[in-house]
Amino acid sequence: MKNLVDKLYETHNLEDSELKLLLEADGSIDEYLFSLSDKRRQEIYGKDVYLRGLIEITNYCKNNCYYCGIRCGNTKLERYRLTKEDILDCCEQGYNLGYRTFVMQGGEDPFFTDDYMCEIISSIHTKYPDCAITLSLGEKEMESYQAYYNAGARRYLLRQETANEEHYRKLHNASMSSEHRKKCLFNLKEIGYQVGTGIMVGSPYQTTENIIEDLRFMQKLNPEMIGIGPFLTHPDTPFASEKNGSLELTLRLIAILRLLFPYALIPSTTALGTISPMGREKGLKAGANVVMPNLSPTRFRKLYSLYENKICTGEEAAECRQCLEKRVQTAGYQIVTAVGDCIRSDVKPSVK
Ligand code: SAH
């Protein structure tokens, strides 16, 4: 097994059968795997960890994904939308805390028309020309993505969720398809966005073969960022009684991603911190190099409930910032703010 890890470190790739062995190996390989993924990470990024301030702009969603707590079929959830002014307030707080990237994420909410989104994006862009604007608003038409880009957005996060059509259909209703989601990702690339994709680890019906297919899809797409986290149940979804994904497999996959995509920006996600109190620290040690503190107004945080027991829903933005700073330090790394946040890391070519 160590030979496989060495090969992965040296060649940035493995055969499908080798990936399967590694993904299904017992925990005894992890120490060695994480030592090499951390080595690779430090060769490229040193001990730097980048901050992305997350603003959850709406929990309205027209989709009905079986895993997600903000699905339109969840009638128990109180819905909210931030106004443009709310969002600009979040950015101001974030800017003062040292954030230079703002990520606007939300359900697919038609209330945010392209015109309104563009107005918001260009206001942020004008006020904070030194900041990067990232969007995570789901599947849109090419024209919409282009309009957001023209308004000043430069990054887009859209997890593939699963690259396998059959698996995709088990997680979503018939109006959605893996094919369309992939098309969106290639459209974003074509426009010139820096693209983030990813999967939930341990989503219902996921097989090792599915994960390998996901990795192959990522190699084709060549994303700048790859976000993964364990699948976590939400009581008011059709998957309420499914099993949560595992911390161990998520960490192992972070390490594999670091070795397959040495230059990728890999967040240590909130879902990882939710499944285990030290999950995010462990993620950083396995190869992750980004954290995404929450900047949403505290009064709405609990309502952006993708899954149960989501952490960081009680704190103010400043507390989140301090807490993460400590966690990053505990793990042995350092947060980088201002310069370097959005420039240095993003121009690196990907290595195949
Ligand atoms: N509407 C946007 C943003 C979705 S929320 C979009 O479609 O991209 C961001 C991510 O949270 C999703 O891509 C999904 O991978 C993750 N997520 C949703 N529900 C989850 C759950 N129950 N457990 C873990 N992750 C979940």
Side-chain angles (χ1 to χ4, degrees):
M1 203 56 73
K2 275 191 168 179
N3 292 342
L4 283 187
V5 178
D6 289 336
K7 181 177 173 191
L8 177 57
Y9 176 81
E10 280 153 23
T11 67
H12 319 294
N13 211 350
L14 287 179
E15 302 292 328
D16 284 5
S17 56
E18 297 169 328
L19 280 170
K20 185 170 164 74
L21 282 174
L22 191 54
L23 284 165
E24 293 179 350
D26 67 52
S28 60
I29 190 60
D30 287 331
E31 197 182 329
Y32 188 64
L33 174 66
F34 297 166
S35 74
L36 284 195
S37 59
D38 187 53
K39 185 169 173 223
R40 177 62 84 214
R41 164 252 171 66
Q42 295 208 32
E43 282 163 7
I44 292 167
Y45 287 107
K47 291 188 178 289
D48 292 355
V49 172
Y50 303 97
L51 281 177
R52 274 60 176 125
L54 182 65
I55 308 169
E56 297 154 335
I57 66 171
T58 173
N59 73 350
Y60 282 86
C61 190
K62 65 181 168 65
N63 293 329
N64 216 5
C65 310
Y66 301 156
Y67 45 85
C68 184
I70 68 168
R71 64 201 305 271
C72 65
N74 180 6
T75 50
K76 286 196 187 162
L77 183 66
E78 184 191 330
R79 305 282 171 168
Y80 77 92
R81 286 182 183 111
L82 301 190
T83 62
K84 178 181 160 192
E85 290 66 37
D86 291 330
I87 296 171
L88 284 166
D89 283 349
C90 293
C91 293
E92 187 175 334
Q93 278 200 41
Y95 193 88
N96 293 333
L97 292 167
Y99 300 145
R100 294 297 177 269
T101 298
F102 303 120
V103 184
M104 286 185 271
Q105 187 178 83
E108 290 192 20
D109 179 0
F111 178 85
F112 286 87
T113 59
D114 288 352
D115 283 349
Y116 190 35
M117 256 343 283
C118 287
E119 194 186 313
I120 296 169
I121 294 164
S122 52
S123 300
I124 300 175
H125 189 53
T126 308
K127 201 156 172 218
Y128 306 101
D130 55 335
C131 292
I133 301 171
T134 305
L135 303 175
S136 178
L137 302 170
E139 298 176 33
K140 308 270 173 187
E141 295 309 312
M142 185 80 162
E143 300 74 56
S144 308
Y145 288 148
Q146 184 68 58
Y148 305 156
Y149 188 91
N150 296 346
R154 285 294 175 272
R155 304 178 186 163
Y156 206 101
L157 310 181
L158 185 76
R159 290 184 177 177
Q160 75 220 39
E161 313 298 358
T162 171
N164 180 275
E165 189 67 60
E166 205 180 315
H167 184 214
Y168 196 93
R169 265 185 274 122
K170 292 180 180 163
L171 305 182
H172 303 92
N173 55 345
S175 64
M176 297 180 76
S177 75
S178 168
E179 195 191 343
H180 189 257
R181 208 158 174 93
K182 288 178 186 168
K183 182 86 188 105
C184 287
L185 283 161
F186 286 110
N187 283 346
L188 288 161
K189 272 271 180 186
E190 196 182 317
I191 292 169
Y193 278 97
Q194 296 163 17
V195 172
T197 194
I199 61 168
M200 288 174 289
V201 180
S203 59
Y205 312 107
Q206 185 182 58
T207 62
T208 306
E209 284 69 24
N210 292 152
I211 296 178
I212 296 169
E213 201 174 328
D214 284 319
L215 296 174
R216 296 303 178 212
F217 171 73
M218 290 173 192
Q219 286 178 319
K220 249 195 263 159
L221 179 70
N222 209 4
E224 280 74 19
M225 187 175 195
I226 305 174
I228 66 167
F231 159 73
L232 298 166
T233 59
H234 187 292
D236 304 315
T237 63
F239 287 162
S241 50
E242 296 288 337
K243 267 186 25 207
N244 282 343
S246 89
L247 170 71
E248 290 71 24
L249 186 57
T250 307
L251 295 173
R252 189 174 300 177
L253 210 45
I254 287 177
I256 293 173
L257 287 169
R258 172 57 63 212
L259 293 170
L260 285 174
F261 303 91
Y263 289 96
L265 292 156
I266 303 178
S268 202
T269 54
T270 306
L272 200 52
T274 300
I275 200 168
S276 160
M278 295 290 276
R280 282 172 301 176
E281 287 85 334
K282 289 178 180 164
L284 293 171
K285 289 183 176 174
N289 64 336
V290 172
V291 287
M292 301 178 68
N294 203 318
L295 269 181
S296 312
T298 311
R299 65 188 187 281
F300 296 124
R301 294 242 188 123
K302 272 202 165 44
L303 300 178
Y304 198 78
S305 57
L306 305 174
Y307 43 78
E308 207 171 16
N309 300 321
K310 189 166 157 244
I311 53 167
C312 311
T313 55
E315 286 100 345
E316 295 293 332
E319 292 172 81
C320 260
R321 170 75 174 79
Q322 279 165 8
C323 163
L324 269 168
E325 176 110 44
K326 269 200 218 112
R327 286 174 183 276
V328 168
Q329 280 170 6
T330 309
Y333 304 95
Q334 76 213 7
I335 282 179
V336 177
T337 49
V339 196
D341 169 309
C342 50
I343 303 142
R344 213 204 88 197
S345 59
D346 297 326
V347 293
K348 294 271 171 62
S350 264
V351 167
K352 270 285 163 60

